[in-house]
Amino acid sequence: MEFWSLKVAPGKPTVYEIPEHIVLYISNASMVVNGTPGTGQHLLKLEANGYKSVICALREKTAENMALAISLSGPSKLKFIGSKKHPIFLTGHKQEDVEDEDEMHVENKLDVPR
């Protein structure tokens, strides 16, 4: 297991590619309020494998941090689109896909002559 972090710059899409045989677990989104605070919601959107979704809505002074429970497996190209005003930091961890390892062990056992 390895720590993972990504900064989603304000108003710019941020791309992250999950390598093959890796599972990414996103567990937190935090908005850093820079300069003059604005009002309203700051949406964090995710585009992956042809799907688009809002994964969280943050609000200055009341909800600048949100716990998430998102798991995504590779290979996948992710595009995060955040707030137009403030950066959003995502944190979590990544690890090797255990199911892939289990399948490899089963295949190896099948190749053993009896």
Side-chain angles (χ1 to χ4, degrees), residues 1-6 15-28 70-76 78 80 90-98 101:
M1 183 167 48
E2 180 181 334
F3 176 77
W4 176 86
S5 175
L6 182 72
V15 175
Y16 178 78
E17 292 191 34
I18 304 171
E20 189 171 2
H21 305 296
I22 297 294
V23 179
L24 174 65
Y25 298 92
I26 303 172
S27 57
N28 195 308
I70 299 171
S71 60
L72 303 159
S73 59
S76 291
L78 310 177
F80 296 94
L90 299 171
T91 56
H93 69 276
K94 58 184 178 177
Q95 66 185 41
E96 289 188 44
D97 190 350
V98 177
E101 287 180 10

Side-chain angles (χ1 to χ4, degrees), residues 35-95:
T36 307
T39 58
Q41 290 183 334
H42 299 273
L43 302 178
L44 178 61
K45 301 174 187 175
L46 171 62
E47 295 180 11
N49 303 323
Y51 295 97
K52 297 178 183 180
S53 182
V54 173
I55 59 172
C56 72
L58 302 169
R59 189 176 294 273
E60 295 174 25
K61 295 185 180 181
T62 57
E64 295 177 356
N65 183 49
M66 182 170 287
L68 303 171
I70 299 171
S71 60
L72 303 159
S73 59
S76 291
K77 184 176 182 178
L78 310 177
K79 182 164 79 169
F80 296 94
I81 302 160
S83 165
K84 294 180 180 177
K85 188 167 177 133
H86 306 297
I88 296 173
F89 290 85
L90 299 171
T91 56
H93 69 276
K94 58 184 178 177
Q95 66 185 41

